Amino acid sequence: MVSAIKPHLSRATPESQGISSSTILQFVEALESQIHEIHSFVLMRHGNVIAEGWWSPYNRQSPHLLFSVSKSFTSTAVGLAIAEGYFSIDDSVINFFPEETPDNVSDVLASMRVRHLLSMSTGHAEDSWSYMIKRPDDNWIKGFLNVPVLHTPGTHFVYNTGATYILSAIVQKTTGMKLIDYLEPRLFVPLGIENATWQESPQGITAGGIGLSLKTEEVARFGQLYLQKGMWQGKRILPESWVEEATHSQVPKSNGLQIDWLQGYGYQFWRSRHGAYRGDGIFGQYCIVMPEQDAVLAMTGGMDVFDMQPPLNLVWDILLPAMSLDPLPDNPIAYNALTDKLSKLAMQVVQGKSTSPIASQISGKMYVLDKNILNIETICFDFTGLNCIIRVKTNSKDETLPCGYETWLLGETTLFNQPLLFDKTPTAICGAWATDTTFQMVIRLYETPFFHTVTCHFIGDELMIEIQVNVSMESLNPILLTAHSI
């Protein structure tokens, strides 16, 4: 198998690769002022990293949950498996799963092929995902095959995370390996991707459409592999024919509206404006490949689901027009301004005071919570030190959450577990007294798009806690907890 040649990508100044440092600075400042919740980015041109940044507590060493960028990696595994002869793109889907296939197979289900899974043209009228994951028997394959197919496969596009899961199941069924294990020597090791994690279904199958976590630079490397048409450091990693097929539109284009989600869909890649294509994931995860500019941009974030277009607009409006074919003259002043900005990127800390007249009265008190969705039984605050320490007891474990004033303190928690996405997860917590009786914390799950704003109202012996998540695929209603001291 191919082994990694070097652990890091080469770096170069923006000017040497044909774009000004001042333009990238303008782009970063626009992200901060207009998007607000970008966590990181890595920008490459001509194979070199020319700018990169992480808004603390997000950092280059930590992976980030990628959501549907995972789909593009699943597509890559399918391309490799087809090249190795495990199956073909025109194989019938039901033939892989005789034990899960319904007794009565419709003609349209029988006509569904691997290519239809890849291009999200399975013939379903809606995403099969929710039907699969809600099955009492946890058999997602059977769930997918039992969802009615209302259109002839190949004629109707609907975004279908369940279809990607079936691709993962096909890879596992034919190769005898979980998709993540199959990719390890073939993709991850050559690209220098280390310690990749990917959530699984109850059947022990890599989730495929969601659940992959990688570092931002690793996402950029993946994009660079596709930009180089499957070549990496002089070696062929992925067939060029697969790169071409996967990144070209396989479904009808839109009516020409200037929205990046209406430019067509390939094999688990979206087409974009300006000849570009991308893998993207909800809440602001992007792997944007720009062949005409010989550039790649990887970004992670935690933005609202309806705000996925504005960051792309900034790429097209600011970065893309400034990419010159030729190197630009060195500009040390502009370059130093950019590097200074990038070295100081940080999410805003919680505003307020580090103490309160009632802090000493509350410190050490044990609060018993009424029954709640987080299964918290007791909570205790320690305000006596330089930082705040919160001790939480749930129905299954004890946790200690360190919280900094005007700084982020690192820890981990299981309080906000999300099935198929993450269990225990690292935290960065900052807090302050908003009023004399209200202590507020922001708990950033910094390997995910999510953070929770936790507002604690102390009223005599009573405590009310309001917890608000920044983004969600479900309800954004706050969680309200009530408690009393003992």
Side-chain angles (χ1 to χ4, degrees):
M1 291 295 177
V2 182
S3 59
I5 296 175
K6 59 181 180 180
H8 299 294
L9 297 171
S10 58
R11 266 70 180 168
T13 64
E15 282 75 15
S16 71
Q17 305 305 308
I19 185 169
S20 68
S21 295
S22 58
T23 295
I24 300 176
L25 178 58
Q26 178 189 356
F27 174 70
V28 173
E29 290 175 339
L31 289 175
E32 289 191 316
S33 63
Q34 298 179 37
I35 310 301
H36 308 303
E37 194 65 26
I38 290 289
H39 296 162
S40 69
F41 80 96
V42 173
L43 176 61
M44 298 185 65
R45 188 140 201 248
H46 304 323
N48 301 284
V49 175
I50 58 172
E52 56 192 326
W54 287 260
W55 279 259
S56 176
Y58 305 92
N59 62 86
R60 71 169 63 245
Q61 293 83 20
S62 297
H64 199 282
L65 188 62
L66 299 177
F67 280 89
S68 286
V69 175
S70 309
K71 292 178 170 67
S72 301
F73 285 82
T74 298
S75 171
T76 303
V78 171
L80 289 167
I82 288 174
E84 293 180 0
Y86 284 104
F87 55 90
S88 89
I89 200 167
D90 288 312
D91 283 346
S92 169
V93 173
I94 60 172
N95 286 350
F96 292 104
F97 310 109
E99 295 180 358
E100 287 87 2
T101 298
D103 293 334
N104 298 313
V105 177
S106 66
D107 291 342
V108 282
L109 176 58
S111 68
M112 189 188 299
R113 300 292 186 258
V114 172
R115 68 168 64 251
H116 301 135
L117 300 172
L118 286 162
S119 60
M120 301 289 192
S121 60
T122 58
H124 291 119
E126 57 184 317
D127 192 346
S128 57
W129 182 252
S130 61
Y131 295 96
M132 293 162 46
I133 65 175
K134 292 178 181 178
R135 283 185 66 88
D137 65 359
D138 288 333
N139 190 321
W140 292 8
I141 297 172
K142 185 174 288 187
F144 177 87
L145 295 175
N146 276 278
V147 176
V149 180
L150 303 183
H151 306 273
T152 301
T155 66
H156 181 77
F157 173 83
V158 65
Y159 197 67
N160 195 339
T161 299
T164 318
Y165 174 76
I166 298 301
L167 290 170
S168 175
I170 290 172
V171 170
Q172 183 164 327
K173 187 73 174 286
T174 56
T175 68
M177 288 179 278
K178 294 178 182 179
L179 185 139
I180 187 171
D181 297 329
Y182 179 75
L183 284 179
E184 179 68 22
R186 293 166 174 83
L187 181 73
F188 294 158
V189 170
L191 266 59
I193 295 174
E194 298 177 333
N195 304 316
T197 60
W198 206 327
Q199 295 301 313
E200 298 180 354
S201 73
Q203 292 173 279
I205 298 171
T206 302
I210 60 171
L212 176 63
S213 291
L214 296 178
K215 302 178 184 70
T216 313
E217 183 184 306
E218 294 171 338
V219 177
R221 295 182 194 193
F222 178 72
Q224 186 67 26
L225 172 69
Y226 270 80
L227 181 63
Q228 296 170 177
K229 299 185 183 300
M231 295 294 292
W232 187 258
Q233 297 178 338
K235 296 182 181 292
R236 170 69 56 193
I237 302 299
L238 189 62
E240 182 175 353
S241 59
W242 181 261
V243 174
E244 292 292 336
E245 266 194 273
T247 61
H248 279 71
S249 182
Q250 300 291 337
V251 295
K253 293 186 178 181
S254 72
N255 57 9
L257 291 176
Q258 293 302 296
I259 299 175
D260 282 276
W261 278 264
L262 297 178
Q263 304 305 309
Y265 194 77
Y267 292 158
Q268 310 286 297
F269 286 87
W270 290 96
R271 291 295 304 176
S272 290
R273 291 178 286 163
H274 307 290
Y277 59 87
R278 69 193 190 281
D280 70 38
I282 196 170
F283 309 131
Q285 327 314 316
Y286 302 89
C287 179
I288 306 167
V289 181
M290 297 167 267
E292 295 175 10
Q293 290 73 33
D294 194 25
V296 171
L297 175 62
M299 292 192 291
T300 64
M303 66 188 69
D304 185 89
V305 62
F306 299 110
D307 281 342
M308 292 284 286
Q309 182 64 52
L312 293 173
N313 292 342
L314 295 180
V315 175
W316 310 142
D317 295 344
I318 298 175
L319 291 181
L320 189 140
M323 292 185 182
S324 168
L325 291 175
D326 302 313
L328 303 178
D330 289 342
N331 189 336
I333 294 176
Y335 179 68
N336 289 338
L338 173 63
T339 54
D340 182 63
K341 174 68 174 179
L342 296 177
S343 70
K344 296 176 181 177
L345 297 176
M347 307 306 294
Q348 186 179 43
V349 296
V350 179
Q351 302 299 298
K353 299 178 180 178
S354 60
T355 189
S356 160
I358 69 167
S360 61
Q361 304 166 31
I362 294 167
S363 193
K365 269 189 178 182
M366 184 70 68
Y367 289 89
V368 177
L369 277 78
D370 298 323
K371 187 175 181 180
N372 59 86
I373 193 172
L374 297 180
N375 295 313
I376 299 175
E377 296 180 348
T378 63
I379 187 169
C380 178
F381 299 82
D382 183 351
F383 294 109
T384 60
L386 296 177
N387 302 294
C388 173
I389 302 296
I390 302 97
R391 295 180 174 84
V392 176
K393 178 179 174 57
T394 69
N395 59 1
S396 60
K397 60 182 64 66
D398 295 339
E399 296 190 7
T400 299
L401 304 176
C403 172
Y405 303 123
E406 298 186 348
T407 189
W408 299 96
L409 291 188
L410 304 184
E412 60 181 19
T413 186
T414 61
L415 291 178
F416 308 110
N417 289 359
Q418 291 198 24
L420 301 179
L421 295 178
F422 53 86
D423 298 316
K424 179 181 285 189
T425 185
T427 60
I429 309 179
C430 179
W433 287 93
T435 71
D436 286 351
T437 58
T438 302
F439 186 73
Q440 188 170 77
M441 298 179 287
V442 170
I443 301 177
R444 288 191 172 271
L445 311 180
Y446 62 85
E447 293 186 358
T448 82
F450 306 108
F451 68 83
H452 294 76
T453 301
V454 181
T455 306
C456 304
H457 303 277
F458 297 93
I459 308 166
D461 291 331
E462 305 297 317
L463 169 63
M464 185 178 75
I465 303 174
E466 179 179 345
I467 304 175
Q468 179 70 64
V469 68
N470 62 320
V471 291
S472 176
M473 290 183 289
E474 299 175 349
S475 172
L476 281 172
N477 293 331
I479 298 173
L480 297 177
L481 310 179
T482 54
H484 61 275
S485 64
I486 56 175

